[in-house]
Amino acid sequence: MIYKGKVIENPVTGQSIRFIETAKDSGGKKVEIEVIYPKSTIQPLLYYHPLQETCLEVTQGELHLRLNHTEQVLKKGEKLLIAAGQPHTLWNATDLPTILRWTATPALRSEEFLTSVFQLAQDGQVSAAGNPTLLQFALLMREYRQEYRLAAPARWLWWMLFAVLRPIARLTGLQEVRPR
């Protein structure tokens, strides 16, 4: 269950998330979290939020991001608004922790998605970069397709691949992750 003040941790990436304002608190209008990136995190896959606008504000350190095919650095106190559907990726390339305030509007099921990914990491079902296995991705991407999509390769290729992999994932015993 997600609630204001709850903290979840990813033992693989070292990230932690604290929920500042939940979907329930805002009537579904937004979800606001504080993300702590430990030093020198790995750049994740390029992704986008198809229906959500995302506001980023660095409150400590600096955040590296790829947006519009360009790498940028946000420093403490800087904000950035990312439009729905705009591919991006975020990471910390410095030797000091980075703290980011992240707001998604509308909230949709972002809290469940983040909790599910962190739960997979806690269960040892992710790569060293924190990405779920391809079979787990096939299940996860269908469940949370309104909140999160991989930007490359093309969407239709992912959907074809995942349509083939979902039954295989279930045959191997994998199930859609439900936040605990």
Side-chain angles (χ1 to χ4, degrees), residues 19-126:
F19 292 92
I20 297 170
E21 186 171 4
T22 68
K24 184 178 178 182
D25 297 333
S26 70
K29 291 180 184 171
K30 68 178 182 175
V31 62
E32 187 173 345
I33 61 175
E34 178 182 78
V35 184
I36 299 176
Y37 292 83
K39 65 180 185 172
S40 305
T41 58
I42 297 172
Q43 180 179 342
L45 300 171
L46 197 64
Y47 62 91
Y48 64 99
H49 307 283
L51 304 174
Q52 295 169 299
E53 179 179 86
T54 307
C55 181
L56 310 174
E57 179 184 4
V58 177
T59 60
Q60 179 181 311
E62 54 184 57
L63 181 75
H64 289 246
L65 65 135
R66 184 166 306 284
L67 180 68
N68 298 326
H69 309 291
T70 305
E71 189 172 321
Q72 301 176 33
V73 178
L74 286 181
K75 297 185 185 285
K76 181 180 178 179
E78 293 183 323
K79 290 184 179 182
L80 178 68
L81 190 63
I82 301 175
Q86 197 168 21
H88 60 282
T89 188
L90 317 169
W91 71 100
N92 179 6
T94 71
D95 288 333
L96 298 170
T98 296
I99 300 177
L100 173 70
R101 185 166 284 214
W102 178 94
T103 305
T105 309
L108 301 177
R109 295 175 56 213
S110 295
E111 299 160 353
E112 291 177 41
F113 172 74
L114 294 167
T115 303
S116 295
V117 172
F118 276 40
Q119 185 176 315
L120 287 170
Q122 291 165 4
D123 294 344
Q125 296 183 41
V126 298

